[in-house]
Amino acid sequence: MPRAIAVLFLAFCAAACAHLSVIHLSKAPWVPGTETTLSTRHWTFVFRGDYQDGRLVLQGAALPREDEIPSWATWAQDLWIQVYLSDASGRVLASDLRLYLPLDIRKGVPLEFHLAPKSVGAEGPLSVSFGYRMELTTAPGVRPEGTKPQIFFASQGALFQ
């Protein structure tokens, strides 16, 4: 029994020390009032961030990367996009998530995120990263009747460390 308690205690301690990290994602420096472009594997994010009422507000668009997404995959059956504000070590300080469904992605996806970090800390400059999960298919009415839909799936996001 004492061994089981010790194992549970160690597991609890490890979980308590875990944090969300974006060290593996593409990042752009947080520069208020400046239009910024950040490319990921499947999307290019063009955004501007400002302070409003004690929050960081990002607005812009996510544009699909035509060189990475099949030309037939134009309709988002399921799409979520998440923004992360992180410190120099990649630790997530704040995040916001938006769900988009269904949606034609050909002209881009409008973005608006609100971030309210509890504390910024003093570990260097802040960065912005994006995560996403998408399930894309052909637009409604494009697929011939009786055929199975093609589905393109991709996902990137923060990880617990």
Side-chain angles (χ1 to χ4, degrees), residues 35-160:
E35 184 169 283
T36 304
T37 300
L38 175 63
S39 288
T40 64
R41 179 155 186 210
H42 298 101
W43 295 92
T44 296
F45 296 92
V46 180
F47 61 96
R48 177 185 169 103
D50 292 297
Y51 292 108
Q52 293 179 8
D53 301 323
R55 295 177 299 174
L56 310 177
V57 178
L58 275 77
Q59 295 178 313
L63 306 168
R65 293 200 39 204
E66 294 175 6
D67 57 328
E68 293 291 336
I69 296 176
S71 60
W72 53 263
T74 60
W75 189 257
Q77 293 282 103
D78 179 25
L79 171 64
W80 66 255
I81 298 176
Q82 189 161 12
V83 66
Y84 306 101
L85 182 69
S86 63
D87 63 16
S89 69
R91 179 184 294 255
V92 174
L93 303 172
S95 66
D96 193 12
L97 172 72
R98 294 286 183 262
L99 302 174
Y100 304 89
L101 49 109
L103 177 73
D104 186 336
I105 66 166
R106 287 178 282 197
K107 292 182 180 173
V109 177
L111 303 175
E112 182 170 329
F113 295 102
H114 299 259
L115 300 165
K118 291 181 179 143
S119 67
V120 174
E123 294 189 40
L126 300 178
S127 296
V128 174
S129 300
F130 289 91
Y132 52 87
R133 181 188 184 283
M134 63 182 172
E135 189 175 302
L136 305 177
T137 188
T138 55
V142 174
R143 181 173 42 99
E145 195 170 318
T147 62
K148 289 180 88 175
Q150 292 180 296
I151 295 176
F152 178 78
F153 176 83
S155 178
Q156 285 190 315
L159 300 173
F160 275 103

